[in-house]
Amino acid sequence: KNQVEQSPQSLIILEGKNCTLQCNYTVSPFSNLRWYKQDTGRGPVSLTIMTFSENTKSNGRYTATLDADTKQSSLHITASQLSDSASYICVVSEGSARQLTFGSGTQLTVLP
Amino acid sequence: DADVTQTPRNRITKTGKRIMLECSQTKGHDRMYWYRQDPGLGLRLIYYSFDVKDINKGEISDGYSVSRQAQAKFSLSLESAIPNQTALYFCATSDPKLASTDTQYFGPGTRLTVL
């Protein structure tokens, strides 16, 4: 069964600090991996997407990495802001792109 | 999010009642999806539709049905609601012309409580 596991489940950091969120997956065959940000009470919004051949993708202060060999991805947030407080969800697409597997998310809280 | 709207945003109902959740989009996307989100779990796919004539069951379709009334509208029905269908429900759309990435755009969600 395809699975996506994220760690940590929750994280609290101070404003201005950096943090890294982890995603491990067993989805096969692999098509692509996305990171979504979900603010409380809202739907997820796409941050980055990476295909098999991409190792790194940046979107402002967000940088995602992908190691397709070890089936691991990370999302690094630089110089965190209060508005970064949200759930970050890793989503892996199976080869046909019809099947998505969602991680349960990492709840990030940024404190002033 | 304004391109994908869901109604109602919140609903409380009783066991056994029939409930319909509606989703409309102005993005012009052919593909639409219904998910549910439960605390501590990832989003799970209920149904998806790749065009008006194409409807497919997802991972957890039992107890649910859908109707794709038009390209822009995709409704989710709970024929006889039960308490374990209490969850946050999301509608999403995607553009098949970008099939290699197929990024999904989510609505704001409907919080459903079944008593």
Side-chain angles (χ1 to χ4, degrees):
Chain A
K1 180 180 179 182
N2 291 334
Q3 289 186 315
V4 175
E5 296 185 355
Q6 294 186 240
S7 62
Q9 283 189 324
S10 62
L11 181 62
I12 300 174
I13 61 174
L14 295 176
E15 186 178 13
K17 297 297 185 182
N18 304 335
C19 67
T20 300
L21 315 180
Q22 301 290 342
C23 173
N24 296 336
Y25 62 92
T26 61
V27 176
S28 182
F30 174 86
S31 177
N32 57 64
L33 184 147
R34 302 173 178 81
W35 284 92
Y36 279 87
K37 178 186 180 187
Q38 183 177 15
D39 292 309
T40 300
R42 306 192 68 175
V45 175
S46 179
L47 290 174
T48 66
I49 179 170
M50 289 181 292
T51 58
F52 185 88
S53 59
E54 296 176 297
N55 300 119
T56 303
K57 183 73 70 76
S58 291
N59 178 1
R61 295 180 296 103
Y62 301 101
T63 299
T65 64
L66 174 65
D67 186 334
D69 291 332
T70 62
K71 297 186 177 181
Q72 295 180 327
S73 176
S74 65
L75 180 68
H76 185 75
I77 304 175
T78 303
S80 61
Q81 300 176 357
L82 299 179
S83 60
D84 292 331
S85 294
S87 178
Y88 291 84
I89 302 171
C90 176
V91 184
V92 181
S93 179
E94 181 261 340
S96 68
R98 281 197 169 217
Q99 181 67 42
L100 300 181
T101 303
F102 287 76
S104 58
T106 292
Q107 183 65 47
L108 175 66
T109 302
V110 180
L111 299 178
Chain B
D1 281 2
D3 298 321
V4 184
T5 58
Q6 294 182 231
T7 56
R9 293 294 312 278
N10 289 282
R11 181 72 183 269
I12 299 174
T13 190
K14 295 182 178 180
T15 297
K17 295 292 186 181
R18 184 177 189 274
I19 297 297
M20 178 179 286
L21 309 183
E22 298 186 346
C23 176
S24 295
Q25 53 113 347
T26 59
K27 300 185 77 69
H29 290 171
D30 285 331
R31 298 182 175 183
M32 298 187 73
Y33 311 78
W34 274 106
Y35 292 92
R36 66 176 280 175
Q37 187 177 40
D38 297 278
L41 298 178
L43 276 78
R44 291 181 291 167
L45 183 63
I46 305 172
Y47 270 95
Y48 62 100
S49 170
F50 277 15
D51 64 46
V52 175
K53 297 180 181 179
D54 176 63
I55 292 179
N56 305 277
K57 293 182 177 180
E59 179 186 354
I60 53 165
S61 59
D62 288 346
Y64 302 93
S65 62
V66 291
S67 174
R68 184 79 185 268
Q69 300 95 325
Q71 186 205 40
K73 296 184 181 297
F74 193 34
S75 299
L76 176 71
S77 294
L78 287 67
E79 299 302 325
S80 179
I82 56 177
N84 74 2
Q85 290 178 313
T86 294
L88 191 55
Y89 290 84
F90 286 102
C91 173
T93 74
S94 68
D95 185 350
K97 294 188 290 296
L98 299 176
S100 62
T101 59
D102 206 22
T103 296
Q104 296 188 10
Y105 298 85
F106 287 82
T110 294
R111 184 168 296 281
L112 176 65
T113 302
V114 183
L115 301 177

